[in-house]
Each structure stands twice: as structure tokens, then as C-alpha cells.
Amino acid sequence: MTTRSTPWRHVRVIGGVAAIALALSGCTTAADAETDEPAANDSRTVSFVAAQMTATYFQVMQCGAEAAAEKYDVDLDWQGDANWDLATQTPLINAAVQSKPGGLVLVPTDPVGLIETVDNIVADGIPVITVDGSLDEPVEAQNIRTDNISAGALAADALAKSIDEEGTVLVIASFPGVAANAERVDGFTERMAEAYPNITVLPTEYSEADQATAAQIAAAAITDPNLKGIYTTLAPASAGAASAIQAAGRTGEVKLVAYDSDPSQVEDLKAGVYEALVAQDPYGLGYDSVERIAKMIDGDITADDLEYQEYVTAYIIDKDNADSEETQRYIYNPTC
């Protein structure tokens, strides 16, 4: 992976696909297509369909995707929905594949609902790599995402340390059944159970990836004087919990360990709102996925050359290392 200093001023980013999305139907299939072929045509376009486009995390992912597109001389068709919603993401996927790109990178919003869609795209000879989220069946060429089990364990260690390894804590997640987010919870709860017997983890609450909902959950929870800490597994929940703790005047009393590392979160970390942040590598996810599709377009690799599951290690940011040189690459700065 390259660093963010790679120039890409001349990257060819194609827009406008979303405008025709609603006029298009689902993807057609070719029964005799070979799923291990690098591409169905001579297109040098990589379609990238993300989600929650207003989130800094995905803006940084776009920076990485653009850098790889520049290096490998492919066109990048970057699309995405403002929400994490299968119903609104599906037309964008259909529109993207109607143009017969050389390959597709997808942030899947539903681990089950998109299996057939992706399987059909692959059958049409378009290689697919999923990033960030995952599917319940390995129908795509590769899935690249954070090792969320180990990241959840890192979060447990950080929160346990901040509350002296005793007390009650709450987890605020996104949706039930989303695999990557469930792993963030499982890694946390399993680590707490095995290493911190004096900490009670309350039943997980779900924010539906909505900041206001997360704020309401946190506000209700912190009325309990026994609550010592909160762990949130996604940026909207993190922001919501932080606002609730601040509004209640309990900053520093209720310890907060949160996924993601927007610049505003890092500043709040330094101010004591957060104890630690679980930083991912969205730039790397964007870069690596586009790089591999580009290599398939060029015939340098095929789907068979890729190991299906690839994990990216998370990084803990705390007050001690927030200003270090190593930490800076993990802060979600969306300026490309």
C-alpha cells in the first residue's frame, strides 16, 4: 500500500451513475461465464459502491481508491448512498454493473441480501471484491476488512484499564446480524469474560447506525450510577454516546471507548471525552481493493490468486500516543 502523499490530481473519477440507477433493473446473468476470468470485457473502469458517504471514514476510503486508480491507470466510478441501507444501495449496484465495468468493489450493507446479487455479477464475468463489511457466503473474489474480533478485544482492554477492571459497561452497536459489527461486539465481550471477571457487560443495544438513537440509548444508560463505561462499535454511535455523556455532565466519569478516529474524535480524546479510539485503515481498504481489481483487469492476477479472507489490523489511539508520528496515518483525514 502506498502512503497518502501519492499524487493523483489527474485521476479520472466518473460520476453520474446514480442518476440513472432507479431506471435500471437487476443484473442479468450468463450461465456459462467463468467466475475466475479477470473481466468480461476490455473496460478499464473500476466501479466502487460504498455506503454512508457522509462519514469521514468513507471519504478517506475514497482517497485511497483514487490513489490506486491513478497509479494503475484505471477509471474510478465512485458511488454510494448516504445511508447504510440495502434498499437504496441495490439500485446503485445495478446501475454500476449495467455499464459493464472491468471490476466492482462493494461495501456490502447486508450480509445475506446481497449474496445473490454479487453471485450474479461474478457469473457475468465481473470480478468483485468486498471491503469493510462481508457476505455470509464467499461468492466474491476476496473480502478485505478489519480484524474486528481482535479489535474488539483491544477495546475491552482499553476500557477495562480505564475503570480499574471493575464495574458495569454497555455496548452500543449498529444492527443485529451485520457480521463485521457483530465481531466487534463478540471480540469485546469474549475478552471481558475471559480476562476481567469483575466487569459486568450489559446486553448489547443497537443504534441502527443512527447518531440520535445512540445518544438516546447512552442518555438512558448513564442515569444508572453503576455504569462505568460505554463501548461503541461505529462512528455514529460514538458521536451519539459522546454527546450524551457531555450533556449529562459526566465527561471523565463514564469512560468511552469508541470505534473510528475522525479528527473531531481525536480532539475529543485529548479533551477527555474518549478514553481510547479503535482506528481502522479505510485508506488502505480503498487502495488495496482497487489495486487488485486493476491487476485483474491487466491480467496480472486472477481471482484464484487471491486469498479469500484478508484482515487488516486495528490500532488503538489513546492520550499517550495521539500526537505520535505513527498515529497520524490512522486519523481519518479526508483531505486527499
Side-chain angles (χ1 to χ4, degrees), residues 266-278:
V266 176
E267 289 305 310
D268 284 343
L269 169 74
K270 295 176 182 179
V273 176
Y274 296 98
E275 285 297 312
L277 299 172
V278 183

PDB file of all heavy atoms in Angstrom, residues 266-278:
ATOM      1  N   VAL A 266     -10.508  12.601  17.720  1.00  0.00           N
ATOM      2  CA  VAL A 266      -9.162  12.678  18.298  1.00  0.00           C
ATOM      3  C   VAL A 266      -9.053  13.907  19.200  1.00  0.00           C
ATOM      4  O   VAL A 266      -8.456  13.838  20.283  1.00  0.00           O
ATOM      5  CB  VAL A 266      -8.094  12.702  17.193  1.00  0.00           C
ATOM      6  CG1 VAL A 266      -6.703  12.874  17.789  1.00  0.00           C
ATOM      7  CG2 VAL A 266      -8.150  11.413  16.370  1.00  0.00           C
ATOM      8  N   GLU A 267      -9.640  15.026  18.766  1.00  0.00           N
ATOM      9  CA  GLU A 267      -9.620  16.223  19.616  1.00  0.00           C
ATOM     10  C   GLU A 267     -10.406  15.973  20.900  1.00  0.00           C
ATOM     11  O   GLU A 267      -9.992  16.398  21.988  1.00  0.00           O
ATOM     12  CB  GLU A 267     -10.197  17.416  18.852  1.00  0.00           C
ATOM     13  CG  GLU A 267      -9.302  17.923  17.733  1.00  0.00           C
ATOM     14  CD  GLU A 267      -7.900  18.261  18.217  1.00  0.00           C
ATOM     15  OE1 GLU A 267      -7.769  18.996  19.220  1.00  0.00           O
ATOM     16  OE2 GLU A 267      -6.928  17.768  17.597  1.00  0.00           O
ATOM     17  N   ASP A 268     -11.552  15.279  20.785  1.00  0.00           N
ATOM     18  CA  ASP A 268     -12.329  14.941  21.982  1.00  0.00           C
ATOM     19  C   ASP A 268     -11.577  13.959  22.874  1.00  0.00           C
ATOM     20  O   ASP A 268     -11.713  14.000  24.109  1.00  0.00           O
ATOM     21  CB  ASP A 268     -13.681  14.358  21.585  1.00  0.00           C
ATOM     22  CG  ASP A 268     -14.670  15.415  21.106  1.00  0.00           C
ATOM     23  OD1 ASP A 268     -14.436  16.609  21.376  1.00  0.00           O
ATOM     24  OD2 ASP A 268     -15.669  15.048  20.450  1.00  0.00           O
ATOM     25  N   LEU A 269     -10.800  13.084  22.279  1.00  0.00           N
ATOM     26  CA  LEU A 269      -9.959  12.179  23.059  1.00  0.00           C
ATOM     27  C   LEU A 269      -8.973  12.983  23.912  1.00  0.00           C
ATOM     28  O   LEU A 269      -8.816  12.732  25.122  1.00  0.00           O
ATOM     29  CB  LEU A 269      -9.199  11.237  22.124  1.00  0.00           C
ATOM     30  CG  LEU A 269      -8.071  10.399  22.730  1.00  0.00           C
ATOM     31  CD1 LEU A 269      -8.652   9.268  23.565  1.00  0.00           C
ATOM     32  CD2 LEU A 269      -7.168   9.835  21.648  1.00  0.00           C
ATOM     33  N   LYS A 270      -8.328  13.932  23.295  1.00  0.00           N
ATOM     34  CA  LYS A 270      -7.362  14.759  24.021  1.00  0.00           C
ATOM     35  C   LYS A 270      -8.046  15.570  25.134  1.00  0.00           C
ATOM     36  O   LYS A 270      -7.430  15.875  26.153  1.00  0.00           O
ATOM     37  CB  LYS A 270      -6.645  15.697  23.057  1.00  0.00           C
ATOM     38  CG  LYS A 270      -5.775  14.979  22.031  1.00  0.00           C
ATOM     39  CD  LYS A 270      -5.161  15.965  21.047  1.00  0.00           C
ATOM     40  CE  LYS A 270      -4.329  15.269  19.989  1.00  0.00           C
ATOM     41  NZ  LYS A 270      -3.757  16.221  19.007  1.00  0.00           N
ATOM     42  N   ALA A 271      -9.322  15.906  24.905  1.00  0.00           N
ATOM     43  CA  ALA A 271     -10.073  16.687  25.889  1.00  0.00           C
ATOM     44  C   ALA A 271     -10.687  15.826  26.986  1.00  0.00           C
ATOM     45  O   ALA A 271     -11.315  16.351  27.912  1.00  0.00           O
ATOM     46  CB  ALA A 271     -11.172  17.482  25.189  1.00  0.00           C
ATOM     47  N   GLY A 272     -10.558  14.499  26.868  1.00  0.00           N
ATOM     48  CA  GLY A 272     -11.048  13.610  27.907  1.00  0.00           C
ATOM     49  C   GLY A 272     -12.410  13.015  27.675  1.00  0.00           C
ATOM     50  O   GLY A 272     -12.925  12.281  28.528  1.00  0.00           O
ATOM     51  N   VAL A 273     -13.042  13.304  26.517  1.00  0.00           N
ATOM     52  CA  VAL A 273     -14.358  12.726  26.236  1.00  0.00           C
ATOM     53  C   VAL A 273     -14.238  11.222  25.990  1.00  0.00           C
ATOM     54  O   VAL A 273     -15.067  10.436  26.436  1.00  0.00           O
ATOM     55  CB  VAL A 273     -15.000  13.418  25.015  1.00  0.00           C
ATOM     56  CG1 VAL A 273     -16.334  12.763  24.654  1.00  0.00           C
ATOM     57  CG2 VAL A 273     -15.189  14.904  25.292  1.00  0.00           C
ATOM     58  N   TYR A 274     -13.193  10.822  25.245  1.00  0.00           N
ATOM     59  CA  TYR A 274     -12.919   9.409  24.981  1.00  0.00           C
ATOM     60  C   TYR A 274     -11.697   8.959  25.773  1.00  0.00           C
ATOM     61  O   TYR A 274     -10.766   9.745  26.000  1.00  0.00           O
ATOM     62  CB  TYR A 274     -12.618   9.175  23.495  1.00  0.00           C
ATOM     63  CG  TYR A 274     -13.754   9.464  22.551  1.00  0.00           C
ATOM     64  CD1 TYR A 274     -13.831  10.680  21.880  1.00  0.00           C
ATOM     65  CD2 TYR A 274     -14.747   8.526  22.313  1.00  0.00           C
ATOM     66  CE1 TYR A 274     -14.872  10.953  20.992  1.00  0.00           C
ATOM     67  CE2 TYR A 274     -15.785   8.786  21.434  1.00  0.00           C
ATOM     68  CZ  TYR A 274     -15.840  10.008  20.775  1.00  0.00           C
ATOM     69  OH  TYR A 274     -16.868  10.269  19.904  1.00  0.00           O
ATOM     70  N   GLU A 275     -11.692   7.688  26.143  1.00  0.00           N
ATOM     71  CA  GLU A 275     -10.501   7.079  26.743  1.00  0.00           C
ATOM     72  C   GLU A 275      -9.582   6.516  25.667  1.00  0.00           C
ATOM     73  O   GLU A 275      -8.362   6.567  25.796  1.00  0.00           O
ATOM     74  CB  GLU A 275     -10.904   5.956  27.703  1.00  0.00           C
ATOM     75  CG  GLU A 275     -11.454   6.437  29.010  1.00  0.00           C
ATOM     76  CD  GLU A 275     -10.442   7.227  29.827  1.00  0.00           C
ATOM     77  OE1 GLU A 275      -9.289   6.745  29.973  1.00  0.00           O
ATOM     78  OE2 GLU A 275     -10.792   8.312  30.304  1.00  0.00           O
ATOM     79  N   ALA A 276     -10.182   5.961  24.625  1.00  0.00           N
ATOM     80  CA  ALA A 276      -9.395   5.375  23.542  1.00  0.00           C
ATOM     81  C   ALA A 276     -10.272   5.258  22.307  1.00  0.00           C
ATOM     82  O   ALA A 276     -11.509   5.200  22.397  1.00  0.00           O
ATOM     83  CB  ALA A 276      -8.849   3.999  23.939  1.00  0.00           C
ATOM     84  N   LEU A 277      -9.622   5.230  21.142  1.00  0.00           N
ATOM     85  CA  LEU A 277     -10.307   5.068  19.868  1.00  0.00           C
ATOM     86  C   LEU A 277      -9.747   3.849  19.149  1.00  0.00           C
ATOM     87  O   LEU A 277      -8.531   3.644  19.126  1.00  0.00           O
ATOM     88  CB  LEU A 277     -10.111   6.316  18.996  1.00  0.00           C
ATOM     89  CG  LEU A 277     -10.641   7.633  19.565  1.00  0.00           C
ATOM     90  CD1 LEU A 277     -10.198   8.793  18.673  1.00  0.00           C
ATOM     91  CD2 LEU A 277     -12.164   7.605  19.696  1.00  0.00           C
ATOM     92  N   VAL A 278     -10.637   3.053  18.558  1.00  0.00           N
ATOM     93  CA  VAL A 278     -10.236   1.895  17.769  1.00  0.00           C
ATOM     94  C   VAL A 278     -10.180   2.350  16.311  1.00  0.00           C
ATOM     95  O   VAL A 278     -11.207   2.482  15.649  1.00  0.00           O
ATOM     96  CB  VAL A 278     -11.227   0.725  17.926  1.00  0.00           C
ATOM     97  CG1 VAL A 278     -10.743  -0.493  17.153  1.00  0.00           C
ATOM     98  CG2 VAL A 278     -11.423   0.385  19.405  1.00  0.00           C
TER      99      VAL A 278
END
